[in-house]
Amino acid sequence: MRIVVCVALRADSTPTALPAHDAHAVEAALRLAEGAGRADEAPTEIVVGVLAPAEALGVARGALAMGLPRGALVVAPADLDDDVI
């Protein structure tokens, strides 16, 4: 099983840490991964994807610090319309 936790931050807000509601999503993914799978199945993979300005690298690092093995920061251009996010 593969679980992807998606985090999207508005261009006008650049937190340096993982917001609380997104941290809850990471915790839920970790719990799902612990309870999923049988001995004959492949282990569950969890990945976090963050769409945010480059200054928000700490958001992706926060998710990785919670125990996620992989993550990606997709840098959103400053003029990206909020409707996209």
Side-chain angles (χ1 to χ4, degrees):
M1 177 184 347
R2 184 172 296 139
I3 301 172
V4 179
V5 179
C6 300
V7 177
L9 302 174
R10 295 174 55 105
D12 61 353
S13 68
T14 308
T16 56
L18 188 66
H21 60 277
D22 292 317
H24 292 300
V26 171
E27 288 176 22
L30 290 168
R31 276 183 291 196
L32 280 172
E34 285 177 7
R38 300 184 311 247
D40 61 337
E41 291 181 344
T44 300
E45 177 186 13
I46 307 173
V47 179
V48 64
V50 180
L51 175 63
E55 297 82 24
L57 183 59
V59 173
R61 287 184 177 152
L64 296 175
M66 293 179 69
L68 297 188
R70 293 185 349 165
L73 172 64
V74 178
V75 177
D79 61 347
L80 185 66
D81 188 9
D82 285 342
D83 290 339
V84 175
I85 298 176

